[in-house]
Amino acid sequence: MNDDRSNTLSEGEKELILQCFEGIEACPEPEPRSAESENQIDFTVVNAATIKPIAKGKDETELLKDRYLCQKGILLLAGPTGIGKSSFTMQCLLTWGMGQSCFGITPRRKLRSLLIQAENDEGDIAEEIEGVTRGLGLTGRRAVEAKKQVDIISISTVTGEKVAQLIKSAVSRNTGDPYDFVVIDPVFAFLGGDASSQETVSRFLRNTILPCISEACIGCIIVHHTNKPLRAKDKDMWQGTDLAYLSAGSAEWANAVRAVLGIKTTAIAGVFELIAPKRGNRLGWKDGQGQPAFKKLIAHSRKPGEIFWREADTDEIAEVSREKGTRSVEQKIANLWNDESEQLSQEEFLARAKQRGVSKSSAYNYWKAGAEKGVFKLSKKKDKAGLTGKFKPEAVIVEQSEDEKLGL
């Protein structure tokens, strides 16, 4: 027999339930969103008449003088693998942390940095710091103060958009003075894609890193590899801003950043060229005659085992100069001919250059410069080029015929 009372609420129970719902308002229907609000872009319009000139040294966003790099900008440091880019970067960070100039690159004030790196273990980093502090002559409290200016995150599991998340998290968790820089070393470890793809590089630089550092009001240094060691014989024809495209992969690496520094090998072991092809005029470097310069020579420490960079000394500068002066560009072009009477088509010239170790880009520049500088003259049909006599091959080379190569 069913008991209907088990499914029936008493008046007291009904009243109790109603009290529970008193004061609760029904949720309003959501207002429909227009297509315009869905696609709204946040931006600010600034009239040109309201923009006032900034006096030299008065820009509060300046990080490296004279506005070589400011907040929200990226500096690209490019160089061959294994030469010590990480130790060079650490030396800059520690030196700038004390408010001092490093190789003629001067901070506006004492700068605090966050280094995000993926290649060096704790022992490697300790050796870099020890070498730099010893090379700079920092001891006691001064050494401690310099080291406190640099925080380090060692991680190899973050790529692409997650790099921005990492930076934002590190900035928010920072309990010391605010960061002025974030350093990404090397960028290959954090890109998460093809370094030769403009789409990938643009997305990483323009849509990930730049918005992140803009929001945080900090600068960024990206450490990148060149395709291969750059030697004088390969890059003699590179001029001015051509050198901004030192880094491996897409040209976007140089286009999207604010400034570029490059480290290039020389013919002298342990001596390198530090070049500033993009915005380098703002550094105020001077050559021996007091003229504006965009490159200078730096070198590894002379002390065995010490990880430290220094300015090249007078003897090293003279030695590099002598090596560079051994052959002019014109002479190098002329040396691609086997003898004075030889006629070369452009295709033959480029093949000969490749055979003798000249890069493809330099070979094309040699062909263009050779005609402009009067090293060779094109025939009337412009299909062959012969030497003009201004420069002659330093050695006459007799190439074997196909039969001779086969021993016939």
Side-chain angles (χ1 to χ4, degrees):
M1 181 176 179
N2 293 332
D3 185 358
D4 293 337
R5 290 177 299 175
S6 61
N7 296 321
T8 304
L9 296 174
S10 68
E11 291 301 321
E13 289 171 330
K14 291 179 181 179
E15 182 66 25
L16 182 61
I17 292 173
L18 289 172
Q19 289 176 7
C20 291
F21 284 93
E22 284 182 3
I24 298 179
E25 297 179 356
C27 294
E29 290 293 326
E31 294 181 6
R33 299 185 65 182
S34 66
E36 183 179 353
S37 63
E38 287 282 356
N39 300 317
Q40 190 172 10
I41 299 173
D42 185 26
F43 64 92
T44 302
V45 176
V46 178
N47 185 264
T50 66
I51 300 175
K52 305 300 181 184
I54 301 173
K56 186 174 180 179
K58 298 297 183 181
D59 187 350
E60 294 300 323
T61 70
E62 180 184 65
L63 297 173
L64 301 175
K65 297 181 178 181
D66 284 315
R67 301 193 72 253
Y68 179 62
L69 188 69
C70 299
Q71 294 171 355
K72 307 180 183 182
I74 299 175
L75 165 63
L76 177 70
L77 171 64
T81 299
I83 64 165
K85 294 189 300 296
S86 293
S87 61
F88 176 89
T89 302
M90 179 63 74
Q91 187 163 332
C92 288
L93 299 184
L94 291 172
T95 307
W96 294 338
M98 298 182 294
Q100 297 177 3
S101 177
C102 188
F103 299 112
I105 306 172
T106 306
R108 173 181 170 83
R109 49 181 167 74
K110 292 182 179 180
L111 300 178
R112 184 160 148 72
S113 306
L114 170 65
L115 169 62
I116 301 175
Q117 69 90 35
E119 285 192 339
N120 299 311
D121 60 26
E122 191 170 331
D124 295 327
I125 296 172
E127 289 176 348
E128 288 178 2
I129 295 173
E130 177 65 19
V132 170
T133 52
R134 185 183 301 160
L136 292 173
L138 300 178
T139 57
R141 190 173 69 177
R142 290 189 68 218
V144 172
E145 289 176 352
K147 294 175 186 177
K148 283 184 175 180
Q149 293 292 86
V150 182
D151 286 349
I152 303 168
I153 297 175
S154 297
I155 190 168
S156 58
T157 56
V158 174
T159 59
E161 293 179 356
K162 289 185 178 180
V163 177
Q165 297 175 20
L166 175 62
I167 294 171
K168 289 178 182 178
S169 179
V171 169
S172 65
R173 289 167 54 181
N174 174 33
T175 58
D177 292 335
Y179 294 125
D180 297 296
F181 279 121
V182 60
V183 181
I184 301 173
D185 179 24
V187 73
F188 269 141
F190 301 97
L191 178 62
D194 182 4
S196 299
S197 165
Q198 180 171 335
E199 181 181 357
T200 299
V201 176
S202 291
R203 186 185 304 115
F204 183 76
L205 294 178
R206 297 186 188 273
N207 303 126
T208 302
I209 300 301
L210 281 172
C212 175
I213 63 173
S214 294
E215 181 181 333
C217 286
I218 58 176
C220 179
I221 298 175
I222 287 179
V223 182
H224 195 16
H225 299 305
T226 49
N227 286 309
K228 58 184 178 180
L230 301 172
R231 296 184 175 86
K233 72 181 182 66
D234 295 322
K235 300 300 178 189
D236 281 330
M237 300 301 296
W238 284 40
Q239 301 293 328
T241 54
D242 291 339
L243 289 165
Y245 298 93
L246 289 167
S247 53
S250 170
E252 183 72 346
W253 288 112
N255 294 336
V257 303
R258 197 72 179 123
V260 176
L261 274 179
I263 301 177
K264 189 173 80 167
T265 58
T266 70
I268 310 304
V271 181
F272 303 82
E273 269 190 335
L274 179 63
I275 54 182
K278 189 172 183 179
R279 291 174 68 86
N281 60 314
R282 292 180 174 273
L283 293 173
W285 291 353
K286 304 290 183 183
D287 62 17
Q289 286 71 48
Q291 298 300 311
F294 299 88
K295 60 180 67 176
K296 60 170 56 185
L297 292 177
I298 59 176
H300 288 158
S301 172
R302 291 188 182 277
K303 297 179 180 178
E306 183 177 71
I307 301 175
F308 180 70
W309 289 82
R310 58 182 175 81
E311 299 269 2
D313 62 29
T314 305
D315 291 342
E316 290 166 332
I317 294 172
E319 190 174 0
V320 170
S321 180
R322 282 195 300 271
E323 182 65 27
K324 278 190 172 184
T326 301
R327 291 185 180 90
S328 65
V329 171
E330 292 86 347
Q331 186 61 61
K332 291 179 180 180
I333 295 171
N335 284 347
L336 292 174
W337 271 257
N338 286 341
D339 59 63
E340 294 180 57
S341 62
E342 187 177 29
Q343 298 287 313
L344 295 176
S345 66
Q346 183 180 24
E347 184 179 357
E348 291 167 336
F349 177 91
L350 296 176
R352 179 77 56 76
K354 180 180 179 181
Q355 181 186 20
R356 297 186 183 176
V358 180
S359 70
K360 186 176 181 180
S361 59
S362 290
Y364 276 105
N365 284 328
Y366 277 7
W367 177 263
K368 180 181 178 181
E372 293 175 349
K373 294 176 179 289
V375 179
F376 60 77
K377 185 177 181 180
L378 292 171
S379 64
K380 290 184 179 179
K381 294 183 178 180
K382 298 189 181 300
D383 59 341
K384 293 282 186 175
L387 294 175
T388 61
K390 290 176 66 176
F391 294 88
K392 301 178 181 180
E394 292 179 304
V396 175
I397 300 174
V398 179
E399 293 188 345
Q400 291 179 308
S401 67
E402 293 302 315
D403 286 346
E404 289 173 325
K405 290 178 181 178
L406 295 172
L408 301 175

